[in-house]
Amino acid sequence: MGFRKGAYATVWEIEVINTNLVKARIAISHKDKETDKYIQDFGGYITFAGTAAAGKALKLKEKDRIRLGDVDVITKSDKDKEKWYTNFYVYSFESPYELNSQRSEIDAGAVKSGENKIKFSSDGVDSGEINNSGLPF
């Protein structure tokens, strides 16, 4: 899946640069269905940029899972050193607390509405006649 909007990432390190920038090391992986092992799609340092993202990033701990929101990748060259630099920026994300509260709201809504129950029809699969009463023609 890689570094993209909507990807889930594990946070491994947090380092404060200033009030608008927080550096972090993250990993994004997926599980191989054949081997049941995790394969890393992205691993590296990112920058939470902006007051809102940097402020939320300060509350993160090692092994927290986040969902990436608005992201960007910028590549710059240093002509003097003849070197290219790739920087990964995160402008918004969902923290583990937000992800857990969303799951709780979804689960509560499903239980309240009865959506988590399987409903069976009393008609069999091949019950015979087709009911055309609801058709407009």
Side-chain angles (χ1 to χ4, degrees):
M1 295 283 197
F3 183 80
R4 63 172 174 75
K5 182 176 185 167
Y8 289 89
T10 303
V11 177
W12 294 107
E13 283 179 42
I14 295 286
E15 178 187 336
V16 179
I17 297 172
N18 61 40
T19 57
N20 294 326
L21 297 173
V22 173
K23 188 176 176 180
R25 186 169 58 92
I26 65 167
I28 300 170
S29 305
H30 74 275
K31 190 172 187 177
D32 185 339
K33 293 179 182 178
E34 293 178 12
T35 63
D36 279 341
K37 293 184 180 181
Y38 285 93
I39 299 170
Q40 183 170 298
D41 296 320
F42 174 85
Y45 287 92
I46 62 164
T47 302
F48 292 102
T51 309
K56 279 174 57 174
L58 291 174
K59 298 174 186 173
L60 294 173
K61 301 179 301 272
E62 184 179 327
K63 295 186 181 179
D64 275 349
R65 299 271 299 158
I66 62 172
R67 185 174 183 203
L68 301 179
D70 295 322
V71 297
D72 198 9
V73 179
I74 298 173
T75 305
K76 295 181 181 179
S77 66
D78 185 345
K79 293 182 182 179
D80 296 335
K81 295 181 182 178
E82 297 180 5
K83 197 168 186 181
W84 287 87
Y85 297 95
T86 303
N87 298 307
F88 299 89
Y89 291 97
V90 176
Y91 299 103
S92 66
F93 68 96
E94 294 176 37
S95 69
Y97 315 105
E98 293 168 321
L99 292 172
N100 287 337
S101 68
Q102 286 176 2
R103 285 189 196 120
S104 298
E105 289 172 13
I106 291 169
D107 292 345
V111 169
K112 188 175 182 180
S113 66
E115 292 174 9
N116 60 340
K117 296 180 182 175
I118 298 173
K119 297 178 183 174
F120 294 97
S121 170
S122 59
D123 295 337
V125 174
D126 293 319
S127 61
E129 295 293 321
I130 297 173
N131 184 358
N132 291 333
S133 62
L135 297 176
F137 49 87

